[in-house]
Amino acid sequence: MEAVLRKWCVVFLVLLSVLPYEAIAQKAPCYFIFGDSLVDNGNNNQLSSLAKANYMPYGIDYPRGPTGRFSNGRTTVDVIAQQLGFPNEIPPYATARGRSILYGVNYASAAAGIREETGRQLGARISFSGQVRNYQNTVSQITSMLGSRRAADESS
């Protein structure tokens, strides 16, 4: 089952990379990201954790250098955001402020897992349930920002 899911994820990513920019630019009003170190873009930077990537050589090929991404440059979610036509990168929850959250937020945390104890040996991390709580907080902020839940629902 896992192998089939991975194959479909690869097919999805390949399709996103070959579709014309204009064909999908307005298809997604916002982009919320949950996960682990594969898509963490800086949420662990301020945590007391061994699972950090905000130092060299991480980010050596990234325009701003190390950001907390566990790669030398952009991650798959950065590429997908660009392909979907977002004007900027999706910010990490740790630094997302103001109207930028209307485009989406990255909740991913290195060493996180679905189970609460996953990654505990590495120190602090935001588990999947913690990421969901952060998402609920963001939804509340968006609702307050737009005035009502209905306005938030209609804006997407």
Side-chain angles (χ1 to χ4, degrees):
M1 178 66 177
E2 186 176 322
V4 172
L5 183 59
R6 284 186 183 184
K7 288 178 185 175
W8 279 110
C9 287
V10 169
V11 168
F12 177 71
L13 291 174
V14 169
L15 284 175
L16 278 177
S17 66
V18 298
L19 287 173
Y21 174 78
E22 296 79 23
I24 58 175
Q26 299 300 314
K27 298 293 183 189
C30 56
Y31 187 22
F32 295 105
I33 301 157
F34 301 87
D36 59 10
S37 60
L38 295 175
V39 294
D40 184 351
N41 66 347
N43 284 310
N44 280 22
N45 290 352
Q46 306 304 317
L47 299 179
S48 177
S49 175
L50 294 175
K52 291 186 182 188
N54 57 345
Y55 55 89
M56 294 300 256
Y58 297 109
I60 197 165
D61 296 326
Y62 199 75
R64 295 188 321 261
T67 61
R69 288 167 172 79
F70 284 76
S71 70
N72 62 323
R74 297 186 309 156
T75 62
T76 55
V77 294
D78 294 323
V79 173
I80 292 170
Q82 180 184 15
Q83 292 292 317
L84 290 174
F86 287 94
N88 300 307
E89 297 164 348
I90 304 302
Y93 179 76
T95 62
R97 301 289 179 266
R99 297 192 70 79
S100 70
I101 66 173
L102 296 175
Y103 290 104
V105 177
N106 184 325
Y107 303 100
S109 176
I114 293 174
R115 297 177 55 97
E116 290 296 317
E117 63 270 14
T118 302
R120 187 173 287 160
Q121 75 279 10
L122 297 174
R125 76 267 175 262
I126 307 165
S127 67
F128 182 68
S129 63
Q131 293 176 39
V132 171
R133 282 190 300 274
N134 290 342
Y135 168 75
Q136 291 169 331
N137 183 41
T138 301
V139 170
S140 295
Q141 291 175 6
I142 291 172
T143 301
S144 295
M145 194 179 303
L146 298 179
S148 70
R149 179 67 183 232
R150 183 176 180 156
D153 290 343
E154 290 174 359
S155 69
S156 60

